[in-house]
């Protein structure tokens, strides 16, 4: 076994570096994974990169294989796709998804990896973690056939939710974002698009994922009486005003929080593994390629992350490519 690997670390807020790491000797129940791709979840990871995780949320925000602590030094990330080089015969040579940071090779328990279906290419499989968030959100939201739904915020999570809603029969789905360029993404996903001022109202359900006060206020305005906003935004250490005056009470509106850290109570009998496996199955749809809007080699990540965090490099999911990305991938 090759015990050498390289990993991306946040050395201090706003500054990342690639470090050499020594891998542990794998145990009988472990796998050795060689990374093919990883994904940068722009909202959460750039918040971590800026040092914006509130102290009260340091424990809740820990990634499964995180090393170090917020605000840094910390090794953070959770969208990795690779090939199993060593491990049980049932997994050796298989492409797998793992909630692991950006690292060229790693050792994890075999139970921590999920095989990627043959119908899903490696480059698209990095979206599994975000599509899993969308699955959980829709378990919470429980949309019905024929609903009128808006998704406010066309980032990675919002677009993933919209993409899944596009499959619901009879549903009117509109992606709402202040960036007109998101219209092309909406078209690729098979949903409508509107700027905030032009969005259709009288919605039965609004999923909010813009992480802005203005977006949340607009989400409430788009509801019909007794409608629900499912709040998916993560605001970090920012204080956010919620417009609970005017017609909020007379129209009996609901704001409901949703997050992926626990399985939705509506599907409490399903485990984390079931939810992730479902997300990977859903990634067989090539329309979801529209969520990957950039790619760069792993070696460039220390320069790329500051540009993603500042908005200088616009992206939904930015994909990180490792050496020999074609080896072991599905056709």
């Amino acid at each position: 076994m090759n015990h050498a690997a390289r990993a991306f670390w946040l050395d201090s807020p706003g500054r990342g570096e690639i470090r050499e790491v020594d891998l542990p000797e794998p145990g009988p129940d472990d796998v050795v994974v060689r990374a093919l791709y990883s994904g940068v979840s722009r909202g959460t990871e750039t918040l971590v990169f800026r040092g914006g995780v509130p102290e009260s949320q340091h424990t809740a925000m820990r990634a499964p294989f995180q090393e170090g602590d917020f605000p840094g030094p910390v090794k953070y990330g959770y969208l990795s796709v690779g090939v199993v080089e060593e491990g049980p015969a049932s997994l050796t040579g298989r492409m797998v998804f793992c909630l692991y940071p950006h690292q060229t090779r790693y050792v994890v328990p075999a139970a921590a990896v999920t095989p990627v279906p043959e119908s899903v290419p490696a480059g698209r499989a990095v979206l599994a973690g975000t599509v899993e968030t969308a699955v959980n959100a829709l378990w919470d939201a429980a949309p019905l056939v024929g609903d009128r739904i808006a998704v406010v915020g066309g980032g990675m999570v919002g677009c993933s939710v919209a993409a899944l809603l596009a499959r619901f029969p009879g549903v009117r789905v509109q992606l709402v974002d202040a960036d007109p360029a998101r219209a092309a993404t909406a078209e690729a996903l098979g949903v409508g698009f509107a700027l905030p001022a032009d969005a259709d109202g009288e919605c039965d359900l609004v999923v909010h994922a813009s992480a802005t006060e203005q977006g949340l206020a607009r989400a409430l305005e788009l509801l019909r009486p007794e409608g629900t906003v499912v709040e998916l935004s993560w605001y970090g250490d920012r204080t956010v005003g919620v417009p609970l005056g005017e017609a909020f009470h007379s129209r009996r509106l609901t704001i409901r929080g949703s997050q992926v850290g626990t399985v939705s109570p509506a599907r409490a009998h399903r485990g984390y593994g079931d939810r992730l496996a479902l997300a990977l199955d859903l990634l067989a749809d090539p329309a979801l390629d529209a969520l990957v809007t950039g790619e760069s080699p792993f070696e460039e990540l220390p320069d790329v992350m500051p540009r993603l965090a500042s908005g200088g490099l616009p992206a939904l999911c930015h994909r990180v490519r490792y050496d020999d990305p074609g080896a072991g991938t599905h056709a």
Side-chain angles (χ1 to χ4, degrees):
M1 169 185 162
N2 184 348
H3 290 268
R6 290 172 295 152
F8 176 75
W9 278 75
L10 173 62
D11 185 53
S12 59
R15 181 181 180 276
E17 64 180 10
I18 292 176
R19 298 183 182 181
E20 299 289 330
V21 296
D22 292 324
L23 299 182
E25 193 68 33
D29 297 321
D30 291 336
V31 291
V32 180
V33 179
R34 173 172 56 85
L36 298 173
Y37 294 99
S38 59
V40 178
S41 180
R42 187 171 177 271
T44 303
E45 287 198 58
T46 59
L47 186 144
V48 170
F49 189 77
R50 294 192 300 266
V53 179
E55 188 172 352
S56 64
Q57 296 300 303
H58 282 192
T59 299
M61 280 285 292
R62 287 193 68 86
F65 293 100
Q66 173 180 326
E67 293 183 37
D69 295 300
F70 305 117
V74 64
K75 183 175 75 173
Y76 192 84
Y78 47 84
L79 302 173
S80 180
V81 176
V83 172
V84 175
E85 293 187 318
E86 298 181 35
S90 61
L91 288 172
T92 301
R94 294 285 303 273
M95 192 206 303
V96 295
F97 176 85
C98 186
L99 297 168
Y100 205 87
H102 308 284
Q103 187 165 310
T104 58
R105 183 180 272 104
Y106 46 90
V107 178
V108 293
V113 302
T114 302
V116 176
E118 291 288 337
S119 57
V120 180
R124 194 186 306 151
V126 297
L127 298 168
T130 307
V131 173
E132 183 184 9
T133 300
V135 166
N136 207 62
L138 293 180
W139 282 350
D140 280 336
L144 299 176
V145 173
D147 272 357
R148 295 160 296 181
I149 303 174
V151 179
V152 177
M156 194 173 168
V157 170
C159 285
S160 296
V161 171
L164 299 191
L165 284 170
R167 306 167 183 223
F168 279 65
V171 166
R172 183 197 78 188
V173 185
Q174 192 169 58
L175 182 66
V176 180
D177 198 274
D179 183 359
R182 287 288 178 262
T185 306
E187 182 178 5
L189 297 176
V191 300
F193 175 80
L195 296 171
D198 303 325
D200 295 331
E202 292 299 302
C203 292
D204 302 289
L205 170 68
V206 178
V207 178
H208 179 237
S210 81
T212 66
E213 284 190 15
Q214 297 90 340
L216 179 54
R218 188 61 179 137
L220 288 166
E221 291 171 352
L222 295 177
L223 287 175
R224 63 162 172 79
E226 300 191 357
T228 297
V229 168
V230 173
E231 176 61 275
L232 282 180
S233 299
W234 169 243
Y235 297 95
D237 56 359
R238 289 179 291 143
T239 300
V240 177
V242 183
L244 300 182
E246 300 181 359
F248 178 82
H249 289 284
S250 63
R251 299 179 70 221
R252 300 179 63 84
L253 304 181
T254 298
I255 301 174
R256 178 172 185 182
S258 177
Q259 55 85 47
V260 75
T262 56
V263 174
S264 169
R267 294 294 181 272
H269 62 288
R270 304 282 287 272
Y272 292 97
D274 290 338
R275 190 178 65 183
L276 180 55
L278 172 59
L280 282 162
D281 284 340
L282 292 170
L283 280 166
D285 186 351
L288 289 160
D289 284 331
L291 304 186
V292 179
T293 53
E295 181 177 297
S296 60
F298 169 72
E299 291 76 12
E300 295 180 8
L301 201 48
D303 297 322
V304 167
M305 282 296 293
R307 295 168 61 202
L308 289 171
S310 68
L313 183 61
L316 291 173
C317 175
H318 188 87
R319 189 164 59 201
V320 179
R321 183 180 70 251
Y322 294 79
D323 293 337
D324 193 19
T329 62
H330 301 331

